[in-house]
Amino acid sequence: VEPKSPMFRLQPRQYDTLVDKRIVVAVDGWEADSMYPSGHYTRTLGQIGDRDTETEVLLLEHDIITSPFTPAVHACVPALPWSVSQADVDQPSREDLRHLTVCSVDPPGCKDIDDALHVRRLPSGNLEVGVHIADVTSFLLPNTAMDEEAALRGTTCYLVQRRIDMLPKPLTEDICSLRADVERLAFSVLWEMTDDARIISTRFTKSVIKSRAALTYAEAQSRIDDTRLHDEVSESLRTLNGVTRHLRRGRQEAGALSLASPEVKFEIDTETHDPLDVGVYQVREANQMVEEMMLLANTSVAAAILKAYPACALLRRHPTPQPRNFE
């Protein structure tokens, strides 16, 4: 399956039973006078073309760890139900932002809500705009079993019909999920800016927040479009949307690329996990609003890291696109 791997010389005893199967092969050696390495059969994954078999092949090809979390990893997660304590609020490095009208905007069915937004008018007449990211590091302590496991996994992997988590679900879907009407720990970046998105100042802080609403993109777009709604969340979304229009225009004028390839989505049977339908994911202005705020947060953090650690900051820079990519 892996195109970078050569064909192998095998001498299996049960050839007839393996001819239409996906199998795992171990390399034994590569003789100097042979075009192919020799190896031996270790195990069968399943029938070629079977959904579960091909999924396992995909995961093995990319060295994705799919084993369950060990008891030692689960022991690192606080017991449920968990809530913010007074000791958390009293931390000198943590700011109490529970009074702000914070909300999240995510795809339908999202359980691990890891970012939220807010905007408010300041006495100066400028805007305070904030991005709040779930403070996972308060629970993911260095050199623990969970820290070591997360380092091995690297990221959460999303397939069409399943998700392979980097961290246990009680942490990502409960303790660190910025759900509506629940107090949660966060990292916040706060900007003072003008209505046309000219940034006056930027600051970073650990925080305690309480989201007012956990919305889907469609719900957020509906609130933005319905001018009859004048609640705090709807008004905030409209203001944020106006700000991000200016941010997007500024990025484009500065030469930012717009990668407009359509994103495909699948409708999956909840019982069999078989695909039922396929369509193109609808991108609304609410999607772009969230994207712009995440980009602004990332660039602000990158600038702060570079300023504080100029000798060792590791910042990603995309190479110049090849001319053939535009053809």
Side-chain angles (χ1 to χ4, degrees), residues 11-196:
Q11 293 180 333
R13 297 176 181 175
Q14 61 271 43
Y15 172 82
D16 292 339
T17 62
L18 301 178
V19 68
D20 58 350
K21 303 293 194 299
R22 296 287 191 201
I23 64 173
V24 178
V25 174
V27 180
D28 295 326
W30 197 333
E31 299 296 331
D33 60 349
S34 173
M35 291 183 61
Y36 307 114
S38 59
H40 66 273
Y41 161 84
T42 60
R43 65 187 176 102
T44 300
L45 298 178
Q47 191 81 23
I48 292 176
D50 176 75
R51 184 198 64 222
D52 293 336
T53 300
E54 300 299 339
T55 298
E56 188 171 359
V57 168
L58 184 67
L59 295 171
L60 285 171
E61 280 183 323
H62 294 87
D63 295 323
I64 305 300
I65 300 173
T66 59
S67 56
F69 291 107
T70 64
V73 172
H74 283 292
C76 297
V77 181
L80 298 179
W82 180 90
S83 61
V84 172
S85 67
Q86 190 58 45
D88 294 320
V89 178
D90 292 340
Q91 289 178 10
S93 61
R94 196 173 294 279
E95 194 169 335
D96 189 349
L97 302 180
R98 291 175 291 181
H99 60 287
L100 297 177
T101 304
V102 174
C103 69
S104 61
V105 184
D106 291 282
C110 180
K111 297 180 180 178
D112 53 336
I113 303 172
D114 56 6
D115 56 73
L117 312 168
H118 93 274
V119 63
R120 64 170 174 167
R121 184 71 61 180
L122 296 174
S124 64
N126 291 328
L127 297 172
E128 178 188 78
V129 178
V131 167
H132 312 274
I133 305 296
D135 185 3
V136 181
T137 55
S138 285
F139 309 94
L140 185 59
L141 302 179
N143 302 317
T144 59
M146 185 161 63
D147 180 38
E148 293 172 358
E149 184 69 22
L152 287 173
R153 297 188 180 223
T155 186
T156 295
C157 298
Y158 293 88
L159 302 178
V160 171
Q161 80 280 22
R162 64 182 287 201
R163 187 181 85 187
I164 298 97
D165 292 300
M166 182 179 75
L167 297 167
K169 279 185 169 59
L171 191 67
T172 59
E173 295 186 358
D174 192 318
I175 297 170
C176 291
S177 185
L178 308 181
R179 298 180 297 173
D181 300 317
V182 179
E183 296 176 358
R184 286 292 181 256
L185 304 182
F187 265 105
S188 300
V189 53
L190 306 169
W191 301 273
E192 180 180 352
M193 63 175 68
T194 60
D195 285 55
D196 59 356

Side-chain angles (χ1 to χ4, degrees), residues 126-129 191-202 242-247 250 296:
N126 291 328
L127 297 172
E128 178 188 78
V129 178
W191 301 273
E192 180 180 352
M193 63 175 68
T194 60
D195 285 55
D196 59 356
R198 182 171 57 87
I199 296 174
I200 307 299
S201 63
T202 307
V243 167
T244 55
R245 285 175 179 172
H246 289 289
L247 288 170
L296 182 61

